[in-house]
């Protein structure tokens, strides 16, 4: 049986999970019916579900489950599930008639509440259908221990026609990888021990940065500091990518700076609609940064750090909000990803497995002291995608909500649009539509005011 040691950060995500606060990523993909798709005698939903199962089952990473090991103490490995049955992971949900998009979004939010079974490979896919031969959706759930954002895209994209075909050709040329347990190579064992010793020294410096940047005075918007209920709702927003690029060209910085400013302005507008008093500073956003190098092996685990950003919601001028965001992100990039509380992921990557196993109950509440909202960008292939000949129209990434958090914002670009997935605590943020409205209005205002 082949196996692969969980990286320290993977192990941290695995142990941070609780029933009320699952640590899985997600994506909701909406597909249009294709008029020229060949008709078969089989029911449409059965055909698509089998296609999903075939393609997911062919992805070797999705056959792996977490298994505890004796060495290193407190550690775990990814091991091939010898009883793997893809039918346990691919499900079908028939939606009520009516507004398909609204129904799919509502059901996806409910499904994101449910933790993944920990004794199985930690992932699920749901086929959501309405009218026969009409539009349909696919919800993908992957545990954060299984993949970071970039790796999740690489895994999840395997269901698409364009990616599946390329993968089949590549596997046919190279053949299957040999089965070797992670501890079978003495040189790897020696290297692992040496790396852990080196990591201790790095952990001291990183942890000092984390402590200095942490805070013990809750601030931000009241809804974002409310207690966690464990409920989930999903909101979606579509922004025009050309408008984002136009603002960037006229004001400088990056497209990501513009999107972060849109989030800040959207939160300000939302607070006004709720009648809330704006904080003098904050809320604080955690902006993940990938440390994954191009061409890194599939089994390299989560490679993340993050920047911290005070969202300038108290600033009334949208142009000055954008300038403040751009300046703060420039400072973050100059300092590097190992400075500040955003480097918590780097610190987690330096700690021994036993620290994650027994420290998880204490770490679960740390997010509240570090940041108020997660804002992450997820890259997608630039080419058009399809499933069984049905074109992908919209896709919304979804980030996990750790304990103490009420909002996570994930963005991705596809088909000339920026698709925004808003995951919220359902009780803390019952007016999610107002927040979505605020984001759209903020981009429109930035576009109007840009010189």
């Amino acid at each position: 049986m082949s196996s692969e040691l969980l990286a320290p950060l993977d192990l941290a995500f695995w142990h941070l999970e609780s029933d009320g606060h699952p640590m899985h990523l997600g994506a909701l993909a909406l597909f249009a019916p294709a008029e020229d798709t060949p008709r078969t005698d089989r029911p449409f939903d059965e055909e698509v579900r089998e296609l999903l199962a075939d393609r997911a089952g062919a992805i070797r990473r999705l056959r792996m489950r977490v298994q505890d090991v004796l060495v290193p103490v407190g550690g775990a490995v990814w091991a091939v599930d010898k009883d793997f049955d893809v039918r346990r992971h691919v499900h079908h949900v028939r939606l009520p008639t009516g507004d398909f998009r609204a129904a799919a979004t509502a059901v996806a939010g409910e499904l994101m509440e449910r933790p993944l079974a920990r004794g199985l490979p930690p992932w699920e896919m749901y086929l959501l259908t309405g009218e026969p031969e009409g539009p349909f959706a696919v919800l993908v759930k992957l545990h954060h221990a299984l993949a970071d954002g970039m790796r999740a895209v690489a895994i999840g994209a395997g269901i698409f026609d364009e990616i599946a075909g390329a993968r089949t050709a590549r596997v046919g040329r190279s053949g299957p990888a040999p089965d070797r347990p992670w501890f079978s190579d003495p040189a790897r064992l020696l290297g692992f021990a040496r790396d852990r010793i080196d990591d201790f020294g790095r952990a001291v410096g990183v942890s000092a940065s984390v402590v200095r940047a942490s805070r013990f005075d809750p601030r931000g918007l009241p809804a974002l500091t409310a207690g966690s209920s464990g409920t989930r709702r999903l909101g979606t927003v579509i922004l025009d990518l050309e408008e984002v690029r136009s603002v960037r060209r006229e004001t400088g910085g990056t497209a990501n700076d513009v999107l972060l400013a849109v989030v800040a302005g959207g939160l300000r507008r939302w607070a006004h609609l709720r009648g809330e008093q704006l904080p003098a500073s904050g809320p604080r956003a955690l902006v993940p940064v990938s440390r994954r190098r191009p061409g890194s092996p599939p089994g390299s685990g989560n490679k993340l750090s993050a920047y911290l950003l005070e969202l300038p919601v108290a600033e009334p001028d949208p142009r000055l909000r954008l300038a403040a965001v751009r300046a703060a992100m420039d400072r973050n990039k100059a300092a590097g990803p190992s400075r500040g509380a955003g480097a918590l992921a780097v610190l987690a990557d330096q700690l021994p497995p036993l620290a994650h196993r027994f420290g998880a109950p204490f770490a679960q509440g740390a997010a509240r002291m570090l940041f108020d909202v997660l804002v992450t960008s997820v890259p997608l292939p630039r080419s058009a995608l399809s499933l069984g000949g049905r074109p992908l129209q919209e896709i919304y990434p979804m980030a996990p909500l750790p304990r103490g958090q009420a909002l996570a914002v994930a963005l991705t670009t596809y088909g000339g649009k920026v698709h925004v997935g808003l995951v919220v605590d359902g009780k803390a943020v019952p007016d999610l539509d107002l927040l979505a409205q605020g984001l759209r209005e903020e981009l429109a205002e930035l576009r109007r005011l840009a010189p």
Side-chain angles (χ1 to χ4, degrees):
M1 179 186 298
S2 63
S3 62
E4 169 199 328
L5 190 68
L6 263 74
L9 187 52
D10 300 347
L11 199 62
F13 286 134
W14 188 249
H15 290 303
L16 279 172
E17 182 172 70
S18 65
D19 287 342
H21 299 86
M23 289 297 293
H24 49 253
L25 310 167
L28 178 66
L30 280 69
F31 296 86
E35 296 180 359
D36 57 351
T37 300
R39 298 296 180 92
T40 67
D41 295 333
R42 303 175 59 197
F44 161 76
D45 50 7
E46 181 181 315
E47 177 189 343
V48 178
R49 182 181 178 184
E50 183 171 325
L51 179 62
L52 282 173
D54 287 345
R55 291 184 176 174
I59 301 172
R60 186 175 182 274
R61 189 71 172 172
L62 296 184
R63 295 172 170 263
M64 311 289 278
R65 68 180 183 88
V66 176
Q67 179 177 306
D68 291 339
V69 293
L70 296 176
V71 179
V73 178
V77 297
W78 290 109
V80 174
D81 183 1
K82 61 181 180 180
D83 298 319
F84 177 76
D85 183 351
V86 72
R87 292 171 296 182
R88 295 178 177 176
H89 301 265
V90 180
H91 314 283
H92 175 222
V93 177
R94 190 175 300 280
L95 303 178
T97 58
D99 186 334
F100 175 78
R101 190 174 180 277
T105 302
V107 169
E110 295 173 3
L111 293 172
M112 287 297 288
E113 289 185 20
R114 305 179 185 177
L116 296 164
R118 292 176 73 85
L120 299 173
W123 66 274
E124 289 178 338
M125 291 185 187
Y126 289 86
L127 170 63
L128 310 178
T129 62
E131 297 291 338
E133 301 297 333
F136 66 94
V138 175
L139 173 66
V140 180
K141 293 168 56 177
L142 298 172
H143 200 285
H144 209 339
L146 185 67
D148 56 24
M150 291 184 67
R151 184 65 185 139
V153 169
I155 293 173
I159 68 171
F160 295 116
D161 299 337
E162 297 75 12
I163 310 299
R167 186 186 64 240
T168 300
R170 187 167 57 250
V171 171
R173 289 193 301 268
S174 62
D179 285 351
R180 296 183 62 191
W182 78 273
F183 51 80
S184 62
D185 187 346
R188 288 187 68 188
L189 277 171
L190 180 61
F192 174 81
R194 186 185 300 115
D195 289 345
R196 291 300 96 188
I197 294 173
D198 293 341
D199 288 347
F200 178 76
R202 289 192 292 269
V204 172
V206 175
S207 60
S209 294
V210 171
V211 171
R212 284 196 300 269
S214 300
R215 72 203 177 180
F216 301 94
D217 55 325
R219 54 179 121 152
L221 302 174
L224 301 185
T225 59
S228 299
S229 69
T231 58
R232 296 289 181 272
R233 286 189 63 204
L234 170 64
T236 61
V237 181
I238 297 179
L239 304 175
D240 188 275
L241 179 58
E242 183 52 37
E243 290 190 3
V244 173
R245 289 172 172 168
S246 178
V247 173
R248 178 195 61 78
R249 286 192 297 266
E250 293 166 347
T251 61
T254 67
N256 197 50
D257 294 340
V258 176
L259 292 172
L260 288 168
V262 167
V263 172
L267 289 172
R268 176 184 172 85
R269 294 170 184 273
W270 178 54
H272 274 308
L273 290 172
R274 293 168 60 94
E276 292 184 1
Q277 183 177 357
L278 295 172
S281 63
R284 180 183 277 185
L286 187 76
V287 184
V289 179
S290 176
R291 296 186 291 124
R292 186 177 297 280
R293 295 179 179 178
S296 59
S300 55
N302 275 273
K303 296 291 183 181
L304 290 172
S305 184
Y307 296 134
L308 282 173
L309 174 67
E310 296 281 349
L311 296 173
V313 299
E315 171 55 57
D317 188 329
R319 294 166 298 185
L320 294 181
R321 283 199 294 271
L322 174 54
V325 166
R326 185 170 62 244
M329 288 301 290
D330 286 346
R331 289 193 297 271
N332 276 328
K333 294 169 187 175
S338 296
R339 298 294 180 219
L344 185 65
V346 180
L347 175 60
D349 223 12
Q350 318 297 326
L351 298 177
L354 203 61
H356 293 300
R357 186 175 293 270
F358 291 106
F362 303 99
Q364 284 177 348
R368 174 67 271 162
M369 294 187 296
L370 299 176
F371 63 97
D372 303 294
V373 56
L374 175 73
V375 185
T376 182
S377 295
V378 181
L380 270 185
R382 294 185 179 181
S383 59
L385 300 171
S386 60
L387 177 61
R390 286 94 174 173
L392 174 67
Q393 287 191 316
E394 305 170 30
I395 182 165
Y396 300 96
M398 290 172 278
L401 276 183
R403 185 184 300 276
Q405 300 295 302
L407 170 65
V409 182
L411 312 98
T412 195
T413 300
Y414 178 76
K417 305 292 182 182
V418 178
H419 293 85
V420 185
L422 304 170
V423 177
V424 301
D425 184 287
K427 292 186 178 179
V429 187
D431 52 355
L432 182 54
D433 292 345
L434 296 181
L435 176 56
Q437 174 186 329
L439 296 177
R440 289 188 289 265
E441 291 177 349
E442 182 67 11
L443 178 58
E445 183 71 0
L446 278 171
R447 183 68 186 93
R448 186 182 69 83
L449 294 175

